[in-house]
Amino acid sequence: MDDRSTGGVLAGLVRRWTGPIFFSLALFEMVIRAFVYSPRPQVPDPLLGQVPTPGSTWVNGKEGLGRIHWSREGIRGRDLPAAGEVKRVVVMGDSFCLAEGVSDQQTFCAGLERELSRRLGRDVWVGNCGRSSLDAADYMYLLPAYERKFHPDLILIAFSLSDFRIVDHHLLPGIMAQFDCDAPSAQALTCLSSGGTRGQHAVDATVRGTLGRFGHAFVDQSSLALYGGARLYAKLRKATHEARINRDDQIATAGQMERYLAALAALSKTPIACVYLRPWNLVLPATKPAAPATTARPGMDDAPPSMRGSLNNHFDLVTAARLQEAAGRLGIPFLDTGPAMRRQFERTGQPGAGFPNTFDGPGFGHLNPAGHAVVARATAPLLARLLTDGSGFHRLRVAQAWAKAAGVSAPAGVRVGASSAAALSGARRLASGLSR
Amino acid sequence: MSFTSISFAVFFAILITLYRIAPVSARKGLLLAAGLFFYGYWDYRFLALMGACIVADYFLALRIYQVESPRQKRGHMAASAVLNLGLLGFFKYYNFFAASANTMLATLGLHVPNLNVILPVGISFFTFESMSYTLDVYRGRLEPCQRLLDFALFIAFFPRLVAGPIIRASHFLPQIQRPLLFQWSSIQAGSMIFLSGLVKKVLLADNLAPFVDQVYRAPQVYHPLTVWLATAAYALQIYYDFSGYSDMAVGLARMFGIELPINFSAPYAARNITEFWRRWHISLSTWLRDYLYISLGGNRKGAARTFVNLMVTMVLGGLWHGANWNFIVWGGLHGLGLAAHKWCTARFPRIALPALAARGLTVLFVLLLWIPFRAPDWTTASAMFHQLLWLGHGVYWLYPWAFVAMAVCPVSGIRHRAGEPDFFLFSTETFWGRTQVALSVMSLLYLSPLNLSPFVYFQF
């Protein structure tokens, strides 16, 4: 039998291990902060709810390695020039637009800014207002806020596959219920914070009082706490509703999209244009023979099923085609980046999406630097024309007239500043949903 | 209940607490109960299978020892072999042979029924251990175990129950016939070895698994450089996965004061294929050597017979890994490699490659043979080789973890010689050593994948 008592052994352990543990914690804090996931401080904004602390820099090395610098306005990229003859473009979108995996200069918004400045021969500011987890319904709430905040000359909405999935509990009521703004979505909460903080908000809503405040301060300052908490949350979280598209009828119809775009036009005072970010996922054989059941398969030769339902080129193509049809009817400028992405893939053999440091690798995931460059090059001519020939306003008026004739109006509840209230309501909803 | 699961952590915490407080005389019973619970946790129905194996071989060994007539001894030995090989053959190979037979007999209109037999976890390991015990008694190398409890614990000792190392009764039984003590020094030493295994498995192997899986799913899509990287990554994945498991088993056993044999000894540092097999899955290769290769005559009956013996041993060794043609081919090619090395050393005894070149060639040979081992079918294997020969283009994917694992392997393996264990040596005596331990734990918490892969060797 060992002659040492359990108490003595424990005391010895504490004495010998305290130093190494603290040293390792400090070292890991630095490594995680620099290469994996930095703290994500946020401040309240009267129009937008919680926004990243202006001037701060966030690091995301989970997919690519992006260093995200937040401007004075709490959006990504350079500060809005104070005055002068600068053309302003606001780009709204989700994580594809925000592009946490690439550096500030590699986002398509930055590329667009350079390309437009070159084409127009003048200073153009492109504000990257992308936020993770947004979808089409969120833009209804955010568009007026951005209009008021930035007074843009043009608003570009960058859609992606997740925007029009009606399996999502958020979008379906929004579209089908004629934008019932009395019931802002739970997503409105997460849309008001930037990527990767969903878990943090859930914990916030659950842990209250002094403990909650202490925890909040802790994760605001420590990468280990934030990243560790997010991992723990992801590990413990029960598999909930998977917003995954498996059939064509789980995507909004062209008619629904048309009404949505018409309402957006009715809401807007600024010319709007849309781009659909179609990444072209790699086509690999499925591990399980679970071919997605499609009710219609337009252009299947061009869009073979990829390995996953949620990253399926076919559903991307369906969404893009319907959106193009809807925008075309309204006269709203629209561009599908799919053909340009495919040309890039055929020319270089390398996909415009995905990063080497993920488990899926290139071909799956958000746009990589090459993909962002393609989108910037493909979109610039359209935006340059809209900014110079006045057709942007003309097209907006056409869409608004169409909306008026069809009886589609902006949601009554949407007003500038509504987002903060929506966030609070959404927070409660999200918290109760999670606790169930 | 995998060693990397929460349920195992709970199981182990309860067990070690009970072990601490239990009287010495009750500890063997406690470990046996834990082993049966551990095994039954996978599928309680297979407990009967293991129980039958334990009881039958215990009594057969006693009978072998007691009877005088060689004929009777042979008869009891044959009964033990038939029982163990029969169980292994039925549960592991029936589906394979039925499918193969059906393919061959299809033209004759004959059909062997397919029973969809489920493979009990760990059967390849405990049947080999049980059979080696009766063989040792039969050959007079070992006296039979007098207590059923001891023999049952030998078979059902949980740390190595499902994926080895394959232990010998002569090594294990004397250890449990001494009083089983609880010692903090053993706990500390064992937990450091366990941590070594955890780092290998969870941090290295599991971070490589998704990359390997993806490239093997469609190698033709990826650039030759990526396919080379995936080939190397699989070699590292299977090594870290299995040697990680073995380290964990050795560490757990050490905590109970029991020494298990080492299973890996920096295999990719081998200078030739013969040395590789002295460093890779040592408990299996020595088992095959002692009970199969030497029984067939070894190298005592001329060059041609040695070649045949090697081929038979390695093909059966390949088949031991699984009921599939790719394992047979893998084993056969390794047999050819061993035979070629034997021939070369006999024919050109004075020619020796520089160490670096010899290591490089050995690693390359082993690396390429992992392709048929891993590929799900021949089409995939040939697509892998096609890309490796730089005959295709594709998507670049230079996966960072593959480089991390490639860097760690020589650094950790370079100081080991054949026969020494290749644990990551964590010393708790110095501040820097304890810091390494703390950093390893932090890495496990922060850098491991959220979804851990099952151990590769569980399927064998």
Side-chain angles (χ1 to χ4, degrees):
Chain A
M1 199 64 163
D2 210 331
D3 54 356
R4 287 178 288 173
S5 69
T6 304
V9 168
L10 289 177
L13 284 176
V14 171
R15 197 175 56 247
R16 282 153 51 85
W17 286 91
T18 306
I21 287 172
F22 272 101
F23 179 76
S24 306
L25 281 171
L27 194 64
F28 245 76
E29 174 70 33
M30 284 195 295
V31 170
I32 299 283
R33 189 178 281 251
F35 299 111
V36 184
Y37 208 63
S38 66
R40 317 206 132 202
Q42 296 175 45
V43 293
D45 179 283
L47 291 177
L48 300 171
Q50 291 288 111
V51 295
T53 303
S56 64
T57 300
W58 296 3
V59 172
N60 179 21
K62 293 195 294 181
E63 189 189 22
L65 178 55
R67 290 179 190 282
I68 305 122
H69 173 255
W70 298 103
S71 68
R72 250 190 339 243
E73 291 76 29
I75 61 169
R76 189 170 190 187
R78 69 170 174 141
D79 296 339
L80 180 65
E85 290 298 303
V86 59
K87 284 281 184 189
R88 300 172 176 195
V89 178
V90 158
V91 184
M92 293 167 63
D94 60 6
S95 52
F96 272 78
C97 176
L98 174 60
E100 285 205 41
V102 303
S103 68
D104 289 335
Q105 290 308 307
Q106 290 173 326
T107 64
F108 83 81
C109 290
L112 203 53
E113 193 170 81
R114 288 192 295 271
E115 192 71 13
L116 287 174
S117 296
R118 189 181 65 76
R119 282 172 179 267
L120 302 181
R122 59 187 299 182
D123 191 15
V124 177
W125 175 84
V126 177
N128 181 347
C129 299
R131 290 186 177 200
S132 297
S133 308
L134 294 198
D135 67 23
D138 294 308
Y139 307 142
M140 302 293 298
Y141 298 99
L142 290 173
L143 188 142
Y146 285 127
E147 255 185 342
R148 172 177 270 203
K149 194 172 173 80
F150 296 120
H151 306 291
D153 298 289
L154 180 70
I155 293 177
L156 177 69
I157 305 166
F159 291 113
S160 65
L161 182 61
S162 59
D163 279 313
F164 290 103
R165 58 187 177 196
I166 56 178
V167 283
D168 192 310
H169 51 85
H170 175 206
L171 186 59
L172 182 62
I175 284 186
M176 301 302 286
Q178 297 286 310
F179 316 110
D180 176 8
C181 291
D182 290 336
S185 71
Q187 288 288 98
L189 169 72
T190 50
C191 83
L192 293 170
S193 58
S194 290
T197 53
R198 186 192 295 248
Q200 187 182 334
H201 281 286
V203 174
D204 270 358
T206 312
V207 184
R208 296 170 188 280
T210 310
L211 186 62
R213 280 196 297 280
F214 176 76
H216 205 280
F218 198 38
V219 295
D220 274 353
Q221 301 304 323
S222 164
S223 281
L224 282 187
L226 176 63
Y227 186 55
R231 277 172 63 86
L232 188 66
Y233 176 75
K235 185 86 184 165
L236 299 179
R237 182 178 54 187
K238 289 193 175 70
T240 50
H241 175 67
E242 283 254 10
R244 191 166 274 199
I245 299 170
N246 293 308
R247 299 190 314 272
D248 286 4
D249 61 5
Q250 290 172 323
I251 301 168
T253 64
Q256 288 172 323
M257 291 180 187
E258 195 177 330
R259 296 179 76 79
Y260 167 77
L261 289 177
L264 211 55
L267 188 70
S268 182
K269 300 178 182 69
T270 313
I272 56 173
C274 309
V275 60
Y276 186 78
L277 303 176
R278 185 146 65 97
W280 276 101
N281 301 300
L282 270 186
V283 178
L284 299 183
T287 42
K288 291 177 195 165
T294 51
T295 52
R297 298 160 77 91
M300 276 303 291
D301 289 342
D302 286 337
S306 111
M307 60 187 282
R308 284 189 203 100
S310 62
L311 293 174
N312 192 295
N313 292 330
H314 166 75
F315 298 127
D316 245 331
L317 182 63
V318 169
T319 311
R322 290 179 184 176
L323 197 54
Q324 184 153 30
E325 187 185 333
R329 280 191 215 148
L330 293 167
I332 293 176
F334 173 81
L335 181 83
D336 170 17
T337 63
M341 295 292 280
R342 184 172 191 177
R343 278 196 298 277
Q344 134 88 12
F345 183 66
E346 285 169 349
R347 193 167 49 80
T348 64
Q350 304 307 315
F355 295 83
N357 63 339
T358 63
F359 287 158
D360 292 327
F364 304 97
H366 290 105
L367 299 182
N368 56 31
H372 278 281
V374 170
V375 172
R377 279 198 302 274
T379 319
L382 172 72
L383 297 198
R385 203 170 56 246
L386 290 173
L387 285 169
T388 50
D389 66 7
S391 65
F393 269 114
H394 172 70
R395 286 162 182 262
L396 178 69
R397 300 294 174 242
V398 170
Q400 286 173 340
W402 187 99
K404 195 172 179 184
V408 178
S409 59
V414 172
R415 60 188 185 280
V416 175
S419 46
S420 297
L424 284 174
S425 160
R428 289 192 198 103
R429 231 168 270 242
L430 179 65
S432 64
L434 283 167
S435 60
R436 273 201 300 275
Chain B
M1 194 172 6
S2 164
F3 290 165
T4 54
S5 65
I6 300 288
S7 49
F8 178 77
V10 174
F11 163 80
F12 186 75
I14 294 170
L15 177 63
I16 200 78
T17 309
L18 292 176
Y19 188 81
R20 171 87 166 96
I21 56 178
V24 174
S25 58
R27 284 178 178 165
K28 263 191 268 188
L30 180 67
L31 286 180
L32 175 61
L36 296 176
F37 176 80
F38 180 81
Y39 193 72
Y41 196 86
W42 300 96
D43 192 331
Y44 65 91
R45 291 171 300 173
F46 294 128
L47 273 175
L49 198 69
M50 194 168 69
C53 208
I54 290 169
V55 173
D57 278 330
Y58 170 74
F59 286 109
L60 281 169
L62 284 177
R63 289 295 297 158
I64 289 170
Y65 188 70
Q66 286 160 356
V67 296
E68 293 294 326
S69 142
R71 193 156 163 266
Q72 280 184 309
K73 280 184 189 287
R74 252 200 317 276
H76 289 115
M77 182 59 236
S80 169
V82 166
L83 170 76
N84 288 297
L85 295 178
L87 283 176
L88 189 63
F90 178 73
F91 282 99
K92 192 161 180 174
Y93 301 108
Y94 179 85
N95 291 341
F96 169 66
F97 285 117
S100 302
N102 282 333
T103 308
M104 286 187 281
L105 298 175
T107 49
L108 302 173
L110 299 173
H111 180 73
V112 179
N114 196 341
L115 301 179
N116 288 324
V117 181
I118 302 168
L119 178 68
V121 68
I123 191 168
S124 314
F125 294 91
F126 73 72
T127 50
F128 267 39
E129 285 164 352
S130 197
M131 196 166 63
S132 72
Y133 165 73
T134 47
L135 268 167
D136 282 348
V137 174
Y138 172 72
R139 288 173 174 178
R141 290 179 186 164
L142 184 72
E143 288 194 4
C145 181
Q146 296 302 322
R147 297 187 62 200
L148 181 58
L149 173 70
D150 288 1
F151 182 67
L153 182 57
F154 161 59
I155 298 296
F157 185 52
F158 78 91
R160 29 57 55 200
L161 187 53
V162 290
I166 299 168
I167 52 176
R168 310 281 180 92
S170 55
H171 178 86
F172 186 86
L173 290 174
Q175 296 189 65
I176 59 168
Q177 279 154 4
R178 295 191 295 263
L180 292 175
L181 302 179
F182 179 94
Q183 291 179 308
W184 283 110
S185 55
S186 298
I187 297 287
Q188 182 173 308
S191 54
M192 288 303 108
I193 299 172
F194 186 84
L195 178 65
S196 161
L198 214 52
V199 169
K200 285 180 182 176
K201 162 64 183 163
V202 174
L203 196 61
L204 296 170
D206 282 0
N207 270 314
L208 291 172
F211 171 62
V212 172
D213 291 350
Q214 187 96 321
V215 175
Y216 268 88
R217 190 175 295 152
Q220 67 278 13
V221 170
Y222 292 99
H223 191 271
L225 209 58
T226 300
V227 176
W228 272 105
L229 193 63
T231 307
Y234 181 65
L236 292 167
Q237 184 206 343
I238 193 167
Y239 163 58
Y240 282 127
D241 188 287
F242 192 23
S243 99
Y245 179 88
S246 299
D247 288 1
M248 286 188 244
V250 170
L252 287 168
R254 182 79 60 90
M255 290 190 224
F256 297 103
I258 291 172
E259 296 276 343
L260 293 185
I262 62 159
N263 220 11
F264 287 86
S265 181
Y268 295 130
R271 293 178 198 209
N272 54 63
I273 191 66
T274 308
E275 188 186 340
F276 173 81
W277 278 103
R278 287 189 196 125
R279 291 167 174 263
W280 178 273
H281 202 174
I282 299 166
S283 65
L284 175 69
S285 49
T286 51
W287 197 100
L288 291 172
R289 183 196 64 199
D290 294 348
Y291 296 102
L292 188 60
Y293 178 69
I294 291 176
S295 301
L296 290 170
N299 57 2
R300 302 186 303 275
K301 298 187 177 178
R305 185 62 189 271
T306 301
F307 172 77
V308 171
N309 291 345
L310 266 177
M311 289 305 292
V312 169
T313 305
M314 292 310 292
V315 165
L316 289 176
L319 192 63
W320 176 89
H321 286 83
N324 213 331
W325 288 105
N326 61 337
F327 295 124
I328 296 174
V329 169
W330 173 78
L333 290 171
H334 266 286
L336 281 177
L338 286 168
H341 176 248
K342 266 194 187 305
W343 182 81
C344 283
T345 43
R347 182 83 176 78
F348 310 108
R350 294 189 179 180
I351 297 177
L353 286 175
L356 197 64
R359 284 190 169 126
L361 277 177
T362 308
V363 166
L364 183 67
F365 179 76
V366 173
L367 216 67
L368 294 176
L369 290 197
W370 283 128
I371 292 173
F373 187 90
R374 169 63 181 78
D377 49 50
W378 294 118
T379 314
T380 308
S382 57
M384 287 288 293
F385 283 116
H386 182 269
Q387 293 299 91
L388 288 181
L389 292 171
W390 226 268
L391 297 174
H393 303 283
V395 173
Y396 279 108
W397 183 8
L398 302 179
Y399 183 64
W401 274 104
F403 294 102
V404 172
M406 279 201 284
V408 170
C409 190
V411 169
S412 64
I414 210 156
R415 53 191 171 172
H416 291 95
R417 283 177 298 196
E420 291 178 346
D422 58 1
F423 310 138
F424 292 152
L425 294 171
F426 295 116
S427 162
T428 54
E429 298 308 310
T430 61
F431 182 88
W432 174 233
R434 290 192 291 276
T435 304
Q436 282 182 319
V437 173
L439 285 174
S440 300
V441 174
M442 297 289 288
S443 303
L444 289 170
L445 291 174
Y446 281 94
L447 302 178
S448 60
L450 284 176
N451 296 315
L452 302 181
S453 307
F455 286 99
V456 173
Y457 263 65
F458 276 15
Q459 63 187 298
F460 304 143

